[in-house]
Amino acid sequence: MPAPSLDAVANLAKRRGFIVQSSEIYGGAAAAYDYGPLGVELKNNLKRLWWEDMTRRYENIVGLDAAIFMHPKVWEASGHVEAFSDLLVECRTCHKRFRAEEVSKDACLACGAKKSFTEPRKFNLMFRTHLGPTEDAGSTVYLRPETAQGIYADAPYIQQVMRLKLPFGIAQIGKAFRNEVTPGNFIFRTVEFEQAEMQFFVRPSEADRWFEHWKEERMRWYHTVLGFPNDTVRFHPHAKKELAHYAKAADDIQYHFPIDWQEIEGVHNRGDWDLSRHAKFSGKDLSFFDEDTKEKVLPWIIETSAGVDRVLLALLTQAYTEETVKEAGAAGRGAGEKRLVLKLPRHLAPVRAAVFPLLSNNDELVAKAQEISRELRQHFVIQYDDAGAIGRRYRRQDEIGTPHCVTVDHVSLEDNTVTVRDRDTLRQDRVRCGDALIACLRTV
Ligand code: GAP
């Protein structure tokens, strides 16, 4: 099947309660999105899988949830005040701004005016605001443009209280904000987004080895945990001129979106940039005592930085499937009938199972289905649905990626079994209620 367009993915996401533009009743806020009831379940599942993979599997990686507001000097030390900017040009006719690298020298992309651009000027991507009642330079604070700096500022504290030895890591998931000049492509580039970052503190002599290690580990995650096929994700090593101001080496992990290959995660060797700058700006010694060499060392940092929203967009794109039903009678479908199904990895699906009474006007079936639904709700996210023909109910669940549909029929009333229909194979099996049903739905 050809890859769906981003518009098709965005339409489905909106129609089915995953993602909608922020403040839509006012015409929508530019480049900001809300995750609806199903979107938040999917996003939470995704973040949980990242968290489990990046913290619980390792005894030397711990978690953090740092504040978004930090001391403004943090952003001077990090280099973001000085260097976190895009080069912009402005059209003298329509006053729209573009990234300098995006415009053709001849004509404005918006109004078509010829040779009307200003010279490129730097535009800082950090959102600035003021803390407290006055709006002077001393009260300036920034919305963090990356979660990483909270980790660096707390690293000496965390190392001490958790008695961590080199190498060790600190992981964090949280919001970041960037005043992007050209946001767009649905949730791909927004001004408010979430990052899942892990900062790994290493001896300088071991940095290259750990950089390679984390590249492989992160690629493994995309393949084995999220199920991305080999030909949909790749590394993109940064050439020298592409490197961010803090990076000694960097590889993007790119996903093959309908709009092209695009970055979903960066793996960076940040050298001693961050800790040496914070040591200088704070006046604190941020070197750690190395138990093995019995020397003080200023660790280097290997960073893995994933964009939660971009990975989620890749997941939706990967899962979006239009297919033709092969066999007549397969769970309420005729042969040749088309269906739209979100083939999300089952452990990520926002709803684990839907429970239906076969007939919505039969009180006994309805009561039994509601009782089963209540029981299953203690273990999984469940939807109960008795509205419309059974085929339509299947269709609704296919479109949100629900792996199992549990139907209560007349046989259920006699022997306490139900039919369980599989989203992908469309097979229906009879399963006994209680432990057997719970075990069946747990299978991913
Ligand atoms: N701490 C390093 C850092 O922030 P980055 O490459 O600038 O590195 C990491 O960002 C990830 O954050 C990107 O790979 C991308 O997935 C996500 N990201 C960055 N800007 C974004 C935006 N405007 N909207 C959505 N996601 C974004």
Side-chain angles (χ1 to χ4, degrees), residues 166-167 200-211 248 269-273 275 287-288 290 293 295-302:
L166 289 175
F200 203 64
F201 297 74
V202 303
R203 295 179 190 98
S205 60
E206 296 175 352
D208 289 345
R209 181 165 72 78
W210 283 114
F211 178 61
K248 280 197 177 328
N269 176 350
R270 298 181 69 129
D272 68 356
W273 166 265
L275 289 186
S287 54
F288 299 180
D290 187 340
T293 60
E295 283 173 357
K296 282 188 111 182
V297 56
L298 193 65
W300 282 24
I301 287 160
I302 308 301

PDB file of all heavy atoms in Angstrom, residues 166-167 200-211 248 269-273 275 287-288 290 293 295-302:
ATOM      1  N   LEU A 166      30.527   6.742  37.333  1.00  0.00           N
ATOM      2  CA  LEU A 166      30.638   6.830  35.864  1.00  0.00           C
ATOM      3  C   LEU A 166      30.776   5.432  35.260  1.00  0.00           C
ATOM      4  O   LEU A 166      31.470   4.605  35.853  1.00  0.00           O
ATOM      5  CB  LEU A 166      31.874   7.649  35.471  1.00  0.00           C
ATOM      6  CG  LEU A 166      31.816   9.154  35.733  1.00  0.00           C
ATOM      7  CD1 LEU A 166      33.162   9.783  35.390  1.00  0.00           C
ATOM      8  CD2 LEU A 166      30.706   9.818  34.922  1.00  0.00           C
ATOM      9  N   PRO A 167      30.162   5.127  34.141  1.00  0.00           N
ATOM     10  CA  PRO A 167      29.210   5.973  33.438  1.00  0.00           C
ATOM     11  C   PRO A 167      27.808   5.820  34.044  1.00  0.00           C
ATOM     12  O   PRO A 167      27.458   4.747  34.532  1.00  0.00           O
ATOM     13  CB  PRO A 167      29.243   5.404  32.026  1.00  0.00           C
ATOM     14  CG  PRO A 167      29.523   3.951  32.209  1.00  0.00           C
ATOM     15  CD  PRO A 167      30.388   3.844  33.435  1.00  0.00           C
ATOM     16  N   PHE A 200      23.841  10.702  29.091  1.00  0.00           N
ATOM     17  CA  PHE A 200      24.707   9.660  29.628  1.00  0.00           C
ATOM     18  C   PHE A 200      26.085  10.261  29.884  1.00  0.00           C
ATOM     19  O   PHE A 200      26.720  10.779  28.968  1.00  0.00           O
ATOM     20  CB  PHE A 200      24.783   8.509  28.616  1.00  0.00           C
ATOM     21  CG  PHE A 200      25.162   7.202  29.215  1.00  0.00           C
ATOM     22  CD1 PHE A 200      24.341   6.565  30.142  1.00  0.00           C
ATOM     23  CD2 PHE A 200      26.360   6.590  28.862  1.00  0.00           C
ATOM     24  CE1 PHE A 200      24.691   5.341  30.698  1.00  0.00           C
ATOM     25  CE2 PHE A 200      26.724   5.368  29.403  1.00  0.00           C
ATOM     26  CZ  PHE A 200      25.887   4.740  30.324  1.00  0.00           C
ATOM     27  N   PHE A 201      26.508  10.230  31.142  1.00  0.00           N
ATOM     28  CA  PHE A 201      27.750  10.877  31.574  1.00  0.00           C
ATOM     29  C   PHE A 201      28.879   9.849  31.536  1.00  0.00           C
ATOM     30  O   PHE A 201      28.795   8.823  32.220  1.00  0.00           O
ATOM     31  CB  PHE A 201      27.581  11.439  32.995  1.00  0.00           C
ATOM     32  CG  PHE A 201      26.519  12.511  33.074  1.00  0.00           C
ATOM     33  CD1 PHE A 201      25.168  12.188  33.011  1.00  0.00           C
ATOM     34  CD2 PHE A 201      26.873  13.843  33.205  1.00  0.00           C
ATOM     35  CE1 PHE A 201      24.180  13.169  33.062  1.00  0.00           C
ATOM     36  CE2 PHE A 201      25.901  14.841  33.261  1.00  0.00           C
ATOM     37  CZ  PHE A 201      24.552  14.501  33.186  1.00  0.00           C
ATOM     38  N   VAL A 202      29.923  10.135  30.755  1.00  0.00           N
ATOM     39  CA  VAL A 202      30.965   9.124  30.518  1.00  0.00           C
ATOM     40  C   VAL A 202      32.367   9.721  30.705  1.00  0.00           C
ATOM     41  O   VAL A 202      32.538  10.943  30.669  1.00  0.00           O
ATOM     42  CB  VAL A 202      30.866   8.550  29.076  1.00  0.00           C
ATOM     43  CG1 VAL A 202      29.497   7.958  28.826  1.00  0.00           C
ATOM     44  CG2 VAL A 202      31.178   9.624  28.023  1.00  0.00           C
ATOM     45  N   ARG A 203      33.341   8.812  30.880  1.00  0.00           N
ATOM     46  CA  ARG A 203      34.738   9.276  30.846  1.00  0.00           C
ATOM     47  C   ARG A 203      35.033   9.747  29.422  1.00  0.00           C
ATOM     48  O   ARG A 203      34.627   9.071  28.449  1.00  0.00           O
ATOM     49  CB  ARG A 203      35.687   8.137  31.199  1.00  0.00           C
ATOM     50  CG  ARG A 203      35.511   7.675  32.618  1.00  0.00           C
ATOM     51  CD  ARG A 203      36.446   6.523  32.972  1.00  0.00           C
ATOM     52  NE  ARG A 203      36.004   6.021  34.259  1.00  0.00           N
ATOM     53  CZ  ARG A 203      35.214   4.961  34.413  1.00  0.00           C
ATOM     54  NH1 ARG A 203      34.834   4.250  33.377  1.00  0.00           N
ATOM     55  NH2 ARG A 203      34.831   4.608  35.627  1.00  0.00           N
ATOM     56  N   PRO A 204      35.771  10.876  29.288  1.00  0.00           N
ATOM     57  CA  PRO A 204      36.032  11.404  27.933  1.00  0.00           C
ATOM     58  C   PRO A 204      36.638  10.364  26.997  1.00  0.00           C
ATOM     59  O   PRO A 204      36.270  10.290  25.822  1.00  0.00           O
ATOM     60  CB  PRO A 204      37.014  12.559  28.187  1.00  0.00           C
ATOM     61  CG  PRO A 204      36.719  12.983  29.602  1.00  0.00           C
ATOM     62  CD  PRO A 204      36.283  11.753  30.341  1.00  0.00           C
ATOM     63  N   SER A 205      37.532   9.519  27.528  1.00  0.00           N
ATOM     64  CA  SER A 205      38.206   8.555  26.649  1.00  0.00           C
ATOM     65  C   SER A 205      37.232   7.497  26.126  1.00  0.00           C
ATOM     66  O   SER A 205      37.536   6.788  25.164  1.00  0.00           O
ATOM     67  CB  SER A 205      39.344   7.862  27.413  1.00  0.00           C
ATOM     68  OG  SER A 205      38.785   7.194  28.534  1.00  0.00           O
ATOM     69  N   GLU A 206      36.048   7.385  26.762  1.00  0.00           N
ATOM     70  CA  GLU A 206      35.099   6.345  26.340  1.00  0.00           C
ATOM     71  C   GLU A 206      33.920   6.904  25.533  1.00  0.00           C
ATOM     72  O   GLU A 206      32.984   6.186  25.197  1.00  0.00           O
ATOM     73  CB  GLU A 206      34.555   5.607  27.577  1.00  0.00           C
ATOM     74  CG  GLU A 206      35.658   4.863  28.318  1.00  0.00           C
ATOM     75  CD  GLU A 206      35.162   4.225  29.618  1.00  0.00           C
ATOM     76  OE1 GLU A 206      34.003   4.493  30.021  1.00  0.00           O
ATOM     77  OE2 GLU A 206      35.953   3.492  30.216  1.00  0.00           O
ATOM     78  N   ALA A 207      33.980   8.211  25.229  1.00  0.00           N
ATOM     79  CA  ALA A 207      32.821   8.865  24.612  1.00  0.00           C
ATOM     80  C   ALA A 207      32.468   8.270  23.244  1.00  0.00           C
ATOM     81  O   ALA A 207      31.293   8.033  22.952  1.00  0.00           O
ATOM     82  CB  ALA A 207      33.071  10.364  24.481  1.00  0.00           C
ATOM     83  N   ASP A 208      33.479   8.005  22.426  1.00  0.00           N
ATOM     84  CA  ASP A 208      33.186   7.500  21.075  1.00  0.00           C
ATOM     85  C   ASP A 208      32.459   6.160  21.145  1.00  0.00           C
ATOM     86  O   ASP A 208      31.502   5.906  20.408  1.00  0.00           O
ATOM     87  CB  ASP A 208      34.481   7.327  20.263  1.00  0.00           C
ATOM     88  CG  ASP A 208      35.064   8.680  19.886  1.00  0.00           C
ATOM     89  OD1 ASP A 208      34.326   9.684  19.996  1.00  0.00           O
ATOM     90  OD2 ASP A 208      36.248   8.727  19.513  1.00  0.00           O
ATOM     91  N   ARG A 209      32.937   5.320  22.064  1.00  0.00           N
ATOM     92  CA  ARG A 209      32.338   3.985  22.203  1.00  0.00           C
ATOM     93  C   ARG A 209      30.873   4.096  22.635  1.00  0.00           C
ATOM     94  O   ARG A 209      29.992   3.433  22.088  1.00  0.00           O
ATOM     95  CB  ARG A 209      33.147   3.184  23.238  1.00  0.00           C
ATOM     96  CG  ARG A 209      32.636   1.785  23.461  1.00  0.00           C
ATOM     97  CD  ARG A 209      33.686   0.968  24.194  1.00  0.00           C
ATOM     98  NE  ARG A 209      33.851   1.328  25.588  1.00  0.00           N
ATOM     99  CZ  ARG A 209      33.018   0.949  26.563  1.00  0.00           C
ATOM    100  NH1 ARG A 209      31.933   0.247  26.274  1.00  0.00           N
ATOM    101  NH2 ARG A 209      33.252   1.273  27.809  1.00  0.00           N
ATOM    102  N   TRP A 210      30.613   4.973  23.617  1.00  0.00           N
ATOM    103  CA  TRP A 210      29.235   5.108  24.112  1.00  0.00           C
ATOM    104  C   TRP A 210      28.320   5.760  23.061  1.00  0.00           C
ATOM    105  O   TRP A 210      27.138   5.455  22.978  1.00  0.00           O
ATOM    106  CB  TRP A 210      29.197   5.899  25.429  1.00  0.00           C
ATOM    107  CG  TRP A 210      29.640   5.064  26.594  1.00  0.00           C
ATOM    108  CD1 TRP A 210      30.755   5.237  27.367  1.00  0.00           C
ATOM    109  CD2 TRP A 210      28.972   3.901  27.112  1.00  0.00           C
ATOM    110  NE1 TRP A 210      30.832   4.266  28.332  1.00  0.00           N
ATOM    111  CE2 TRP A 210      29.747   3.430  28.200  1.00  0.00           C
ATOM    112  CE3 TRP A 210      27.823   3.204  26.775  1.00  0.00           C
ATOM    113  CZ2 TRP A 210      29.380   2.302  28.950  1.00  0.00           C
ATOM    114  CZ3 TRP A 210      27.464   2.087  27.506  1.00  0.00           C
ATOM    115  CH2 TRP A 210      28.239   1.651  28.577  1.00  0.00           C
ATOM    116  N   PHE A 211      28.885   6.646  22.273  1.00  0.00           N
ATOM    117  CA  PHE A 211      28.095   7.270  21.191  1.00  0.00           C
ATOM    118  C   PHE A 211      27.581   6.168  20.254  1.00  0.00           C
ATOM    119  O   PHE A 211      26.380   6.116  19.925  1.00  0.00           O
ATOM    120  CB  PHE A 211      28.982   8.277  20.449  1.00  0.00           C
ATOM    121  CG  PHE A 211      28.309   8.965  19.290  1.00  0.00           C
ATOM    122  CD1 PHE A 211      27.183   9.748  19.465  1.00  0.00           C
ATOM    123  CD2 PHE A 211      28.836   8.846  18.008  1.00  0.00           C
ATOM    124  CE1 PHE A 211      26.566  10.381  18.389  1.00  0.00           C
ATOM    125  CE2 PHE A 211      28.240   9.477  16.923  1.00  0.00           C
ATOM    126  CZ  PHE A 211      27.104  10.246  17.119  1.00  0.00           C
ATOM    127  N   LYS A 248      29.880  17.586  19.257  1.00  0.00           N
ATOM    128  CA  LYS A 248      31.133  17.169  18.616  1.00  0.00           C
ATOM    129  C   LYS A 248      30.823  16.206  17.471  1.00  0.00           C
ATOM    130  O   LYS A 248      31.540  16.154  16.483  1.00  0.00           O
ATOM    131  CB  LYS A 248      32.006  16.428  19.637  1.00  0.00           C
ATOM    132  CG  LYS A 248      32.769  17.336  20.577  1.00  0.00           C
ATOM    133  CD  LYS A 248      33.887  16.536  21.222  1.00  0.00           C
ATOM    134  CE  LYS A 248      34.774  17.366  22.126  1.00  0.00           C
ATOM    135  NZ  LYS A 248      34.958  18.751  21.763  1.00  0.00           N
ATOM    136  N   ASN A 269      27.053  13.473  20.607  1.00  0.00           N
ATOM    137  CA  ASN A 269      28.196  13.519  21.522  1.00  0.00           C
ATOM    138  C   ASN A 269      28.409  14.998  21.838  1.00  0.00           C
ATOM    139  O   ASN A 269      28.876  15.758  20.989  1.00  0.00           O
ATOM    140  CB  ASN A 269      29.424  12.916  20.827  1.00  0.00           C
ATOM    141  CG  ASN A 269      30.668  13.027  21.699  1.00  0.00           C
ATOM    142  OD1 ASN A 269      30.663  13.710  22.741  1.00  0.00           O
ATOM    143  ND2 ASN A 269      31.741  12.370  21.287  1.00  0.00           N
ATOM    144  N   ARG A 270      28.028  15.408  23.068  1.00  0.00           N
ATOM    145  CA  ARG A 270      28.094  16.829  23.421  1.00  0.00           C
ATOM    146  C   ARG A 270      29.420  17.195  24.072  1.00  0.00           C
ATOM    147  O   ARG A 270      29.605  18.338  24.524  1.00  0.00           O
ATOM    148  CB  ARG A 270      26.923  17.204  24.345  1.00  0.00           C
ATOM    149  CG  ARG A 270      25.554  17.001  23.691  1.00  0.00           C
ATOM    150  CD  ARG A 270      24.370  17.375  24.566  1.00  0.00           C
ATOM    151  NE  ARG A 270      24.236  18.775  24.820  1.00  0.00           N
ATOM    152  CZ  ARG A 270      23.119  19.496  24.654  1.00  0.00           C
ATOM    153  NH1 ARG A 270      22.014  18.926  24.190  1.00  0.00           N
ATOM    154  NH2 ARG A 270      23.074  20.777  24.939  1.00  0.00           N
ATOM    155  N   GLY A 271      30.336  16.211  24.131  1.00  0.00           N
ATOM    156  CA  GLY A 271      31.646  16.497  24.723  1.00  0.00           C
ATOM    157  C   GLY A 271      31.494  17.039  26.132  1.00  0.00           C
ATOM    158  O   GLY A 271      30.577  16.650  26.871  1.00  0.00           O
ATOM    159  N   ASP A 272      32.372  18.002  26.514  1.00  0.00           N
ATOM    160  CA  ASP A 272      32.238  18.589  27.857  1.00  0.00           C
ATOM    161  C   ASP A 272      31.589  19.977  27.759  1.00  0.00           C
ATOM    162  O   ASP A 272      31.668  20.775  28.681  1.00  0.00           O
ATOM    163  CB  ASP A 272      33.592  18.653  28.573  1.00  0.00           C
ATOM    164  CG  ASP A 272      34.538  19.649  27.917  1.00  0.00           C
ATOM    165  OD1 ASP A 272      34.182  20.231  26.858  1.00  0.00           O
ATOM    166  OD2 ASP A 272      35.641  19.857  28.446  1.00  0.00           O
ATOM    167  N   TRP A 273      30.982  20.263  26.583  1.00  0.00           N
ATOM    168  CA  TRP A 273      30.397  21.597  26.366  1.00  0.00           C
ATOM    169  C   TRP A 273      29.510  22.017  27.538  1.00  0.00           C
ATOM    170  O   TRP A 273      29.704  23.075  28.131  1.00  0.00           O
ATOM    171  CB  TRP A 273      29.607  21.619  25.053  1.00  0.00           C
ATOM    172  CG  TRP A 273      28.703  22.818  24.925  1.00  0.00           C
ATOM    173  CD1 TRP A 273      27.377  22.881  25.242  1.00  0.00           C
ATOM    174  CD2 TRP A 273      29.071  24.133  24.489  1.00  0.00           C
ATOM    175  NE1 TRP A 273      26.880  24.139  25.018  1.00  0.00           N
ATOM    176  CE2 TRP A 273      27.905  24.949  24.554  1.00  0.00           C
ATOM    177  CE3 TRP A 273      30.263  24.714  24.045  1.00  0.00           C
ATOM    178  CZ2 TRP A 273      27.892  26.291  24.200  1.00  0.00           C
ATOM    179  CZ3 TRP A 273      30.242  26.057  23.678  1.00  0.00           C
ATOM    180  CH2 TRP A 273      29.078  26.838  23.764  1.00  0.00           C
ATOM    181  N   LEU A 275      28.798  20.769  30.718  1.00  0.00           N
ATOM    182  CA  LEU A 275      29.279  20.852  32.102  1.00  0.00           C
ATOM    183  C   LEU A 275      30.358  21.920  32.248  1.00  0.00           C
ATOM    184  O   LEU A 275      30.422  22.621  33.267  1.00  0.00           O
ATOM    185  CB  LEU A 275      29.782  19.491  32.591  1.00  0.00           C
ATOM    186  CG  LEU A 275      28.682  18.444  32.822  1.00  0.00           C
ATOM    187  CD1 LEU A 275      29.255  17.185  33.455  1.00  0.00           C
ATOM    188  CD2 LEU A 275      27.537  18.978  33.682  1.00  0.00           C
ATOM    189  N   SER A 287      33.082  18.831  38.284  1.00  0.00           N
ATOM    190  CA  SER A 287      33.759  17.577  37.970  1.00  0.00           C
ATOM    191  C   SER A 287      33.381  16.525  39.021  1.00  0.00           C
ATOM    192  O   SER A 287      32.998  16.863  40.145  1.00  0.00           O
ATOM    193  CB  SER A 287      35.266  17.774  37.908  1.00  0.00           C
ATOM    194  OG  SER A 287      35.710  18.375  39.100  1.00  0.00           O
ATOM    195  N   PHE A 288      33.427  15.265  38.615  1.00  0.00           N
ATOM    196  CA  PHE A 288      33.044  14.163  39.501  1.00  0.00           C
ATOM    197  C   PHE A 288      34.277  13.360  39.870  1.00  0.00           C
ATOM    198  O   PHE A 288      35.216  13.262  39.082  1.00  0.00           O
ATOM    199  CB  PHE A 288      32.061  13.205  38.802  1.00  0.00           C
ATOM    200  CG  PHE A 288      30.763  13.825  38.374  1.00  0.00           C
ATOM    201  CD1 PHE A 288      29.810  13.068  37.732  1.00  0.00           C
ATOM    202  CD2 PHE A 288      30.485  15.166  38.617  1.00  0.00           C
ATOM    203  CE1 PHE A 288      28.607  13.616  37.329  1.00  0.00           C
ATOM    204  CE2 PHE A 288      29.287  15.727  38.214  1.00  0.00           C
ATOM    205  CZ  PHE A 288      28.359  14.942  37.567  1.00  0.00           C
ATOM    206  N   ASP A 290      36.114  10.051  40.041  1.00  0.00           N
ATOM    207  CA  ASP A 290      36.010   8.749  39.379  1.00  0.00           C
ATOM    208  C   ASP A 290      36.559   7.680  40.315  1.00  0.00           C
ATOM    209  O   ASP A 290      37.761   7.647  40.600  1.00  0.00           O
ATOM    210  CB  ASP A 290      36.795   8.802  38.056  1.00  0.00           C
ATOM    211  CG  ASP A 290      36.597   7.546  37.236  1.00  0.00           C
ATOM    212  OD1 ASP A 290      36.202   6.509  37.802  1.00  0.00           O
ATOM    213  OD2 ASP A 290      36.834   7.616  36.011  1.00  0.00           O
ATOM    214  N   THR A 293      39.535   5.463  38.681  1.00  0.00           N
ATOM    215  CA  THR A 293      40.871   6.034  38.463  1.00  0.00           C
ATOM    216  C   THR A 293      41.332   6.863  39.671  1.00  0.00           C
ATOM    217  O   THR A 293      42.470   7.289  39.730  1.00  0.00           O
ATOM    218  CB  THR A 293      40.871   6.948  37.221  1.00  0.00           C
ATOM    219  OG1 THR A 293      39.925   7.997  37.453  1.00  0.00           O
ATOM    220  CG2 THR A 293      40.499   6.191  35.963  1.00  0.00           C
ATOM    221  N   GLU A 295      40.544   9.804  40.319  1.00  0.00           N
ATOM    222  CA  GLU A 295      40.834  11.175  39.873  1.00  0.00           C
ATOM    223  C   GLU A 295      39.536  11.926  39.648  1.00  0.00           C
ATOM    224  O   GLU A 295      38.495  11.307  39.414  1.00  0.00           O
ATOM    225  CB  GLU A 295      41.584  11.134  38.531  1.00  0.00           C
ATOM    226  CG  GLU A 295      43.027  10.770  38.668  1.00  0.00           C
ATOM    227  CD  GLU A 295      43.676  10.581  37.290  1.00  0.00           C
ATOM    228  OE1 GLU A 295      42.957  10.687  36.263  1.00  0.00           O
ATOM    229  OE2 GLU A 295      44.884  10.310  37.266  1.00  0.00           O
ATOM    230  N   LYS A 296      39.653  13.270  39.677  1.00  0.00           N
ATOM    231  CA  LYS A 296      38.472  14.057  39.330  1.00  0.00           C
ATOM    232  C   LYS A 296      38.374  14.152  37.801  1.00  0.00           C
ATOM    233  O   LYS A 296      39.397  14.300  37.124  1.00  0.00           O
ATOM    234  CB  LYS A 296      38.581  15.457  39.925  1.00  0.00           C
ATOM    235  CG  LYS A 296      38.260  15.453  41.410  1.00  0.00           C
ATOM    236  CD  LYS A 296      38.182  16.835  41.950  1.00  0.00           C
ATOM    237  CE  LYS A 296      36.765  17.146  42.309  1.00  0.00           C
ATOM    238  NZ  LYS A 296      36.565  18.494  42.816  1.00  0.00           N
ATOM    239  N   VAL A 297      37.151  14.086  37.312  1.00  0.00           N
ATOM    240  CA  VAL A 297      36.979  14.132  35.860  1.00  0.00           C
ATOM    241  C   VAL A 297      35.731  14.950  35.533  1.00  0.00           C
ATOM    242  O   VAL A 297      34.735  14.900  36.252  1.00  0.00           O
ATOM    243  CB  VAL A 297      36.890  12.696  35.278  1.00  0.00           C
ATOM    244  CG1 VAL A 297      35.785  11.895  35.943  1.00  0.00           C
ATOM    245  CG2 VAL A 297      36.667  12.707  33.778  1.00  0.00           C
ATOM    246  N   LEU A 298      35.841  15.741  34.466  1.00  0.00           N
ATOM    247  CA  LEU A 298      34.654  16.439  33.961  1.00  0.00           C
ATOM    248  C   LEU A 298      34.076  15.537  32.858  1.00  0.00           C
ATOM    249  O   LEU A 298      34.665  15.419  31.787  1.00  0.00           O
ATOM    250  CB  LEU A 298      35.033  17.800  33.383  1.00  0.00           C
ATOM    251  CG  LEU A 298      33.840  18.725  33.112  1.00  0.00           C
ATOM    252  CD1 LEU A 298      33.135  19.120  34.405  1.00  0.00           C
ATOM    253  CD2 LEU A 298      34.291  19.978  32.361  1.00  0.00           C
ATOM    254  N   PRO A 299      32.951  14.865  33.151  1.00  0.00           N
ATOM    255  CA  PRO A 299      32.463  13.870  32.181  1.00  0.00           C
ATOM    256  C   PRO A 299      32.053  14.506  30.862  1.00  0.00           C
ATOM    257  O   PRO A 299      31.663  15.674  30.827  1.00  0.00           O
ATOM    258  CB  PRO A 299      31.227  13.274  32.874  1.00  0.00           C
ATOM    259  CG  PRO A 299      31.293  13.708  34.287  1.00  0.00           C
ATOM    260  CD  PRO A 299      32.067  14.977  34.322  1.00  0.00           C
ATOM    261  N   TRP A 300      32.096  13.718  29.815  1.00  0.00           N
ATOM    262  CA  TRP A 300      31.477  14.083  28.546  1.00  0.00           C
ATOM    263  C   TRP A 300      30.067  13.506  28.538  1.00  0.00           C
ATOM    264  O   TRP A 300      29.770  12.576  29.296  1.00  0.00           O
ATOM    265  CB  TRP A 300      32.286  13.512  27.371  1.00  0.00           C
ATOM    266  CG  TRP A 300      33.520  14.311  27.068  1.00  0.00           C
ATOM    267  CD1 TRP A 300      34.202  15.115  27.925  1.00  0.00           C
ATOM    268  CD2 TRP A 300      34.199  14.357  25.817  1.00  0.00           C
ATOM    269  NE1 TRP A 300      35.284  15.666  27.295  1.00  0.00           N
ATOM    270  CE2 TRP A 300      35.298  15.210  25.984  1.00  0.00           C
ATOM    271  CE3 TRP A 300      34.002  13.763  24.573  1.00  0.00           C
ATOM    272  CZ2 TRP A 300      36.198  15.495  24.955  1.00  0.00           C
ATOM    273  CZ3 TRP A 300      34.896  14.036  23.538  1.00  0.00           C
ATOM    274  CH2 TRP A 300      35.978  14.904  23.735  1.00  0.00           C
ATOM    275  N   ILE A 301      29.256  14.075  27.652  1.00  0.00           N
ATOM    276  CA  ILE A 301      27.855  13.655  27.649  1.00  0.00           C
ATOM    277  C   ILE A 301      27.455  13.111  26.280  1.00  0.00           C
ATOM    278  O   ILE A 301      27.685  13.754  25.254  1.00  0.00           O
ATOM    279  CB  ILE A 301      26.947  14.826  28.056  1.00  0.00           C
ATOM    280  CG1 ILE A 301      27.121  15.075  29.563  1.00  0.00           C
ATOM    281  CG2 ILE A 301      25.485  14.517  27.757  1.00  0.00           C
ATOM    282  CD1 ILE A 301      26.680  16.433  30.010  1.00  0.00           C
ATOM    283  N   ILE A 302      26.870  11.916  26.316  1.00  0.00           N
ATOM    284  CA  ILE A 302      26.235  11.355  25.113  1.00  0.00           C
ATOM    285  C   ILE A 302      24.738  11.471  25.339  1.00  0.00           C
ATOM    286  O   ILE A 302      24.229  11.025  26.371  1.00  0.00           O
ATOM    287  CB  ILE A 302      26.616   9.866  24.908  1.00  0.00           C
ATOM    288  CG1 ILE A 302      28.137   9.677  24.938  1.00  0.00           C
ATOM    289  CG2 ILE A 302      26.003   9.333  23.617  1.00  0.00           C
ATOM    290  CD1 ILE A 302      28.907  10.461  23.890  1.00  0.00           C
TER     291      ILE A 302
END
